[in-house]
Amino acid sequence: MTRSVDEWIGPRPDTPPPPRVKARIVVAQHHICACGCGMELGRGGEVIEFDHKRALINGGENRESNLQALRPACHARKTKADVEEKGRVARKKKKHLGFENESRSRIPGHRGDIYKRKIGGRTVLRSEDT
């Protein structure tokens, strides 16, 4: 007699789900891709890929209720969207905390600079220029 487990929870974020959990996920989805495209999973020998509904990089957990079965093309689209979301969240957080984007170098004499270069080559403070 096998032991009944309510839900599989991975001990670490990088722990892959065991085959029995993958089988339960596919059966629960009625062998249909979770992205909503309506395509059958594994048709024509196509590989079934498993992905987190809420990505680990965006705070998701490595557990059965957060996993879904996808076709490879749908998985690639979802992963791209997850990475874009992560970037958006990071930019908003950085802006909210008041950090400036340090990777961008400023051009000397640009409008935000305190110095202004005159046509003759002379440099003056913008506040003193009239």
Side-chain angles (χ1 to χ4, degrees), residues 55-69:
L56 297 176
I57 62 170
N58 295 329
E61 295 179 327
N62 193 18
R63 59 188 322 144
E64 187 174 350
S65 61
N66 192 36
L67 289 170
Q68 62 186 354

Side-chain angles (χ1 to χ4, degrees), residues 108-119:
H110 68 89
R111 289 184 183 176
D113 198 358
I114 61 169
Y115 295 103
K116 180 177 185 178
R117 187 171 300 268
K118 297 296 231 173
I119 293 177

Side-chain angles (χ1 to χ4, degrees), residues 23-59:
R24 283 199 308 246
I25 292 167
V26 171
V27 169
Q29 291 179 203
H30 305 291
H31 299 276
I32 303 295
C33 184
C35 77
C37 68
M39 300 287 287
E40 186 179 343
L41 291 168
R43 185 177 3 142
E46 187 176 55
V47 177
I48 299 173
E49 297 184 359
F50 294 86
D51 185 50
H52 294 90
K53 293 174 187 174
R54 182 169 183 199
L56 297 176
I57 62 170
N58 295 329

Side-chain angles (χ1 to χ4, degrees), residues 117-129:
R117 187 171 300 268
K118 297 296 231 173
I119 293 177
R122 192 171 62 115
T123 305
V124 296
L125 284 171
R126 281 192 186 273
S127 59
E128 294 176 0
D129 186 39

Side-chain angles (χ1 to χ4, degrees), residues 94 99-105:
K94 214 169 147 179
F99 295 122
E100 192 174 323
N101 190 356
E102 298 163 3
S103 65
R104 299 176 76 177
S105 62

